[in-house]
Amino acid sequence: MLVDGNIGGSIDGTGGGDLTAVGEQVHFADRVGYDGVWSTEVARDPFLPLLAAAQRSPRLQLGTAVAVAFARNPMTTAMVANDLHAFSSGRFMLGLGSQIQAHIERRFSMPWSAPADRMREFISAVRAIWHSWEAEERLDFRGEYYQHTLMTPMFRPERNPWGTPPILLAAVGPKMTRVAAEVADGIVLHGFTTERYLREVTIPLLESGLNASGRERARFTTSYPGLIVTGADERDYGRALDAVRRQIAFYGATPAYRPVLELHGWGELGTELHRLSKSGDWQAMTRLVDDTVLETFAVVGEPGTIGARIHRRFAGIIDRFTLYTPYPMADSARRTIIDDLHESDAVTPERERDAAHGR
């Protein structure tokens, strides 16, 4: 299981509003032993920080988690992804997501349609563009939403010596999960996902889609940003606890994520969280996230127990695990977790027993 971090100002509470800060984050990620870093599209462009990352580290794998596909078109996306893959010597992963209708139409002023069907065509169009460059063939992609039929020699990039980057698709619901399995190289799972939901819903959908497209599970990547609650001391632990409860409450209020709660018999919790969110009562929402809900959605414990617990929950179903910490985590705690995850294939029964008892 590979372990990743985030750069550029995202879910881990870091800054990164300038390239110097991004460079420092990348240097830290490299130093503490992350295998890769992801850049999100929240308040900043997701691609620019990865250019700085490629310059600062020759080792880390780089990815967008995620870039909003429908805010762009397949040609511009294909171009920037191709450039980053070449500049990073083949270390780039293109993570795409759909976003919701309000953001696509009102924030980006772009057209909206059924997202699963549109995403399937978007990815197919990106691949067609890459193929036309690699094979130096005529570009002739004609779909329902996108048409790309012009590529003159002046605008065709040289053949990328590193080939084309893998495409990972963010998915929560069954339709988009199926699209990921059938046309993408991997899936970026949502942080509001439980081990049970993965095993009973997501993985069977992926396996069905992979079988339908004639592909092997071993060639498909599952990437998961898992919520972590830990701290170097009692004060840090308390802040982490509050922050993760708030994050779970925020996600739980979103109707699109209700199926995860319903699987656990917590549909009424989703209804109440949604009601409270309309009035902005975030404190009341946070209080509704009890210890059972918290420990179902998050890995909770002292730093020395987290790695073994992550491995016990997700080994065999998750290929890349990102530490999702919506609060500042102490460097010492982060190093401990990363080291433990890298050693987790050799976890002893005694250590598993200690982790189970919170030691």
Side-chain angles (χ1 to χ4, degrees), residues 80-329:
V80 69
N82 181 69
D83 286 345
L84 275 171
H85 200 51
F87 193 81
S88 64
S89 300
R91 291 179 289 136
F92 176 67
M93 300 171 286
L94 175 61
L96 296 173
S98 59
Q99 249 300 349
I100 62 173
Q101 182 173 0
H103 282 267
I104 297 302
E105 290 184 335
R106 295 166 52 198
R107 183 157 68 98
F108 293 109
S109 190
M110 296 290 279
W112 175 263
S113 57
D117 292 340
R118 193 181 194 97
M119 185 64 78
R120 183 188 301 275
E121 187 173 301
F122 188 101
I123 292 174
S124 298
V126 169
R127 293 198 191 279
I129 293 165
W130 284 342
H131 177 76
S132 77
W133 295 343
E134 294 292 306
E136 297 184 354
E137 294 180 355
R138 179 187 176 191
L139 176 60
D140 188 19
F141 182 87
R142 301 172 189 269
E144 181 180 353
Y145 309 104
Y146 303 103
Q147 294 81 39
H148 297 279
T149 59
L150 177 64
M151 180 54 59
T152 58
M154 179 177 179
F155 296 100
R156 177 185 291 123
E158 296 180 358
R159 184 179 289 111
N160 193 324
W162 304 98
T164 58
I167 299 176
L168 279 67
L169 177 58
V172 178
K175 290 184 179 180
M176 196 67 80
T177 299
R178 182 89 180 189
V179 171
E182 293 182 356
V183 301
D185 301 300
I187 187 171
V188 180
L189 298 161
H190 198 283
F192 193 73
T193 304
T194 66
E195 177 191 0
R196 181 181 172 189
Y197 191 85
L198 285 173
R199 293 187 184 276
E200 296 183 16
V201 179
T202 303
I203 298 302
L205 283 170
L206 289 176
E207 291 175 345
S208 175
L210 288 168
N211 289 335
S213 57
R215 297 191 296 159
E216 299 177 0
R217 170 66 179 85
R219 300 176 64 86
F220 186 86
T221 299
T222 53
S223 180
Y224 175 52
L227 286 161
I228 304 295
V229 177
T230 194
D233 52 39
E234 187 174 343
R235 182 180 178 183
D236 282 351
Y237 182 84
R239 287 188 295 187
L241 197 65
D242 291 342
V244 173
R245 287 188 195 275
R246 286 196 301 271
Q247 197 68 44
I248 293 171
F250 170 76
Y251 286 142
T254 305
Y257 306 148
R258 186 183 177 96
V260 184
L261 291 172
E262 289 178 338
L263 179 67
H264 291 271
W266 297 331
E268 291 183 2
L269 172 62
T271 301
E272 183 63 9
L273 288 171
H274 183 63
R275 184 187 69 81
L276 291 169
S277 70
K278 291 184 175 181
S279 60
D281 195 346
W282 300 103
Q283 290 185 350
M285 291 168 62
T286 301
R287 288 194 296 269
L288 289 178
V289 179
D290 61 23
D291 289 346
T292 299
V293 175
L294 174 74
E295 294 178 10
T296 299
F297 280 95
V299 180
V300 182
E302 296 179 1
T305 70
I306 294 294
R309 294 182 179 193
I310 291 172
H311 194 261
R312 189 169 58 250
R313 284 195 192 187
F314 302 112
I317 58 173
I318 297 300
D319 303 306
R320 309 191 68 97
F321 189 93
T322 305
L323 303 183
Y324 188 165
T325 56
Y327 55 89
M329 182 191 291

